[in-house]
Amino acid sequence: MNASAEQEPLSAETLSPAERARRRLIGWMLGVSASVLGVLMAIPLVRVALYPLLAQAAANPWADLGPEDDFRSLTTPVRRVIQIRKLDGWRQITAERVVYVTKGADGKLEVLTAVCPHLGCEVQWNPDLGQFKCPCHGGTFAPDGRHLSGPPPRGMDPLPLSVENGRLRVQYEYFRNLVPTREVMS
Ligand code: FES
């Protein structure tokens, strides 16, 4: 037999139908494998790219404030320090935040952030005045958080609260300073 004829590559027309089908199947399997491999390799990259969003979603938990009954008969705001998880760059850290449990104008429990809506100092309850007072520029607020005087552009900011199994819980949020309307910051 002629050696050069043996080495001549077979064209598509010279292949048998079975061989063409076999090659199509191999091509299809290679394509699928490459696609699966590409997806698997992309998953870690996507997770890294989305980490701030995913972590932020997990980093806004509800903090426990204690039994709701403990606050039912309060007559003045009660200070509480809660621990929250938050994102610092790519790390999750635990931070302490001050809130006040108080009663709104309707007599219902309310939880206020202690962050002053002027420039962010920590507002403090002054039992002698019967008001909240900001130590930085003298802004004052009523026990239910209404703005009374000074430079803050609005009242103290209320936080979402819930009662679960008889325990009062609060979800900490951050608000934009220096604006008269309440804007939650992500
Ligand atoms: S930061 Fe509170 S009054 Fe300015």
Side-chain angles (χ1 to χ4, degrees):
M1 187 181 285
N2 188 330
S4 63
E6 282 176 14
Q7 289 169 3
E8 193 175 308
L10 293 171
S11 67
E13 296 78 37
T14 58
L15 292 175
S16 68
E19 180 62 15
R20 278 205 296 273
R22 190 180 74 85
R23 290 189 179 196
R24 264 202 307 275
L25 179 64
I26 291 172
W28 180 82
M29 286 171 67
L30 284 174
V32 169
S33 302
S35 301
V36 170
L37 198 61
V39 169
L40 290 176
M41 289 175 70
I43 287 174
L45 296 176
V46 171
R47 283 177 62 88
V48 167
L50 294 180
Y51 178 77
L53 292 175
L54 298 174
Q56 191 63 37
N60 206 7
W62 290 80
D64 185 73
L65 289 166
E68 183 192 20
D69 287 348
D70 289 0
F71 301 104
R72 260 191 225 282
S73 55
L74 63 79
T75 53
T76 58
V78 175
R79 184 179 189 270
R80 286 284 183 272
V81 178
I82 59 171
Q83 297 208 327
I84 57 163
R85 281 179 294 135
K86 68 188 281 259
L87 201 58
D88 179 17
W90 296 89
R91 294 179 308 141
Q92 273 213 16
I93 61 170
T94 301
E96 291 191 336
R97 294 290 178 262
V98 176
V99 300
Y100 282 93
V101 184
T102 186
K103 283 188 175 167
D106 57 2
K108 289 185 180 163
L109 284 179
E110 197 171 61
V111 182
L112 306 172
T113 171
V115 176
C116 181
H118 181 221
L119 290 177
C121 293
E122 183 185 320
V123 171
Q124 289 156 12
W125 173 248
N126 185 318
D128 298 329
L129 292 175
Q131 296 175 353
F132 287 103
K133 184 160 186 177
C134 180
C136 291
H137 311 102
T140 61
F141 306 87
D144 62 3
R146 271 178 301 115
H147 178 227
L148 295 177
S149 68
R154 64 176 188 270
M156 293 169 70
D157 297 307
L159 297 166
L161 63 86
S162 69
V163 178
E164 206 169 289
N165 298 324
R167 299 186 73 85
L168 190 63
R169 289 151 54 82
V170 63
Q171 187 178 35
Y172 198 81
E173 291 180 334
Y174 297 87
F175 299 86
R176 188 178 302 284
N177 290 339
L178 291 172
V179 292
T181 51
R182 196 158 281 135
E183 291 177 39
V184 177
M185 296 175 48
S186 57

